[in-house]
Amino acid sequence: MSERLRSADLLRHAVLFTFAVIVLFPFLWIVMAAFKTQIDLLMGRFFFQPNLTGFVDVIFDKTSDFGRNFMNSMIVGIGSTILVLVVATLAAFSLYRLQWPGWVLHSLLGWSVIFHMVPPITLAGAWYTMMRSVGLDNTYTGLILAHATLNLPMALWMMGVFIRDVPKELVEAAQIDGANVPNILWNVVLPIVRPGIAATSILAFVFSWNEFPVALVLTQRQTATVPLGIGKYAQENTIAFTEMAAASTLSIVPALILLVFAQKLIVRGLVSGAVK
């Protein structure tokens, strides 16, 4: 029996290792490509002498806007994430704890799912017209509002799950003690749903960081984000593969930092979804 269990355990680990290799291979290929020369990359050489030419061109070249693109993405990502968290948390608390009729809850959540299924590119044209009419085209504010709108349905569903699982007894006890709604939300609900806030904020930031079609329509050179900056290395007559790989590698850094420092909260938020 022990031999059978050991064999099953080895098989399970082999399957997991295989899937891990499949998932990580594109990432490793891009990182390796960032340290190659253009000739090594085009020749498909597996063994090569690493160099930092691609990173130097991306960061220090006078014609490169990647530094500006990076800061633009940080501003838009942080701004839209904060806006999404505030609106989604307040909306989820209102829906699940302020005695709304059931049809209101289900209608709003259903509409959120439908909106989340709409491709962002179909909204970009209308948003460009709206933003231009009010002077928000090619501005951080316009792009933050657009990204917040795209990520709000996902955040509403996630925060709704966590706030729904907060024990009603805690909320009722706070009400009996005379706490008002803002105090209940700040002192009772938010400390309990911190894992959900962490998970939601990470996903909202990453989705905003990676968003391309809406940023392509609503921004110009001054406010272009990282995905647009990476896309600029693909020109009509040539493609700077090494610089593109280097820029892609650098663009992964913020998400990796967030995952490292908030790993436990993210895992708890995505896996548990309940209050113990």
Side-chain angles (χ1 to χ4, degrees):
M1 187 67 179
S2 59
E3 291 292 336
R4 182 176 300 177
L5 291 176
R6 190 178 298 108
S7 299
D9 189 59
L10 290 175
L11 178 61
R12 181 167 57 253
H13 281 82
V15 172
L16 292 175
F17 178 78
T18 301
F19 279 104
V21 171
I22 294 175
V23 172
L24 293 176
F25 178 77
F27 168 76
L28 295 176
W29 189 91
I30 292 175
V31 174
M32 291 174 59
F35 291 94
K36 293 181 179 180
T37 63
Q38 190 85 343
I39 296 176
D40 290 335
L41 185 59
L42 295 177
M43 294 293 293
R45 294 171 181 169
F46 186 80
F47 299 100
F48 60 95
Q49 183 177 358
N51 69 89
L52 299 176
T53 303
F55 292 98
V56 172
D57 291 340
V58 168
I59 299 175
F60 299 108
D61 192 282
K62 293 182 179 180
T63 61
S64 175
D65 293 328
F66 188 78
R68 178 187 296 176
N69 301 147
F70 197 93
M71 290 303 302
N72 292 342
S73 285
M74 290 294 296
I75 294 172
V76 174
I78 294 174
S80 63
T81 299
I82 294 174
L83 181 59
V84 163
L85 283 178
V86 172
V87 175
T89 302
L90 293 177
F93 180 80
S94 175
L95 289 174
Y96 285 99
R97 288 293 178 263
L98 297 185
Q99 306 299 322
W100 284 93
W103 67 268
V104 175
L105 171 63
H106 298 303
S107 299
L108 183 57
L109 293 180
W111 171 249
S112 299
V113 172
I114 295 174
F115 182 82
H116 191 63
M117 296 169 61
V118 175
I121 191 62
T122 62
L123 304 171
W127 281 348
Y128 173 77
T129 303
M130 294 171 57
M131 297 296 180
R132 188 176 183 180
S133 63
V134 296
L136 292 180
D137 60 308
N138 192 31
T139 63
Y140 295 129
T141 302
L143 194 56
I144 287 173
L145 292 175
H147 283 190
T149 303
L150 291 175
N151 296 326
L152 186 58
M154 175 273 299
L156 178 60
W157 271 89
M158 290 191 65
M159 292 306 302
V161 170
F162 291 96
I163 292 180
R164 182 190 62 192
D165 290 336
V166 174
K168 294 182 179 180
E169 294 78 9
L170 293 178
V171 177
E172 293 173 353
Q175 291 174 339
I176 294 174
D177 291 339
N180 55 26
V181 172
N183 286 333
I184 293 174
L185 178 62
W186 184 260
N187 297 317
V188 178
V189 176
L190 291 185
I192 297 176
V193 299
R194 281 188 304 172
I197 294 176
T200 305
S201 62
I202 295 297
L203 291 179
F205 179 83
V206 171
F207 289 162
S208 174
W209 185 271
N210 293 331
E211 197 282 321
F212 180 81
V214 173
L216 178 64
V217 174
L218 295 183
T219 64
Q220 298 177 14
R221 182 177 181 180
Q222 298 83 356
T223 55
T225 55
V226 165
L228 300 181
I230 296 175
K232 290 179 181 178
Y233 290 105
Q235 302 296 330
E236 182 178 358
N237 298 320
T238 182
I239 300 178
F241 291 106
T242 302
E243 288 80 358
M244 184 180 292
S248 300
T249 302
L250 292 174
S251 70
I252 301 172
V253 173
L256 288 179
I257 294 175
L258 290 175
L259 291 175
V260 168
F261 285 97
Q263 181 178 4
K264 292 183 179 180
L265 290 176
I266 296 171
V267 173
R268 287 173 55 192
L270 293 177
V271 175
S272 63
V275 178
K276 296 183 179 179

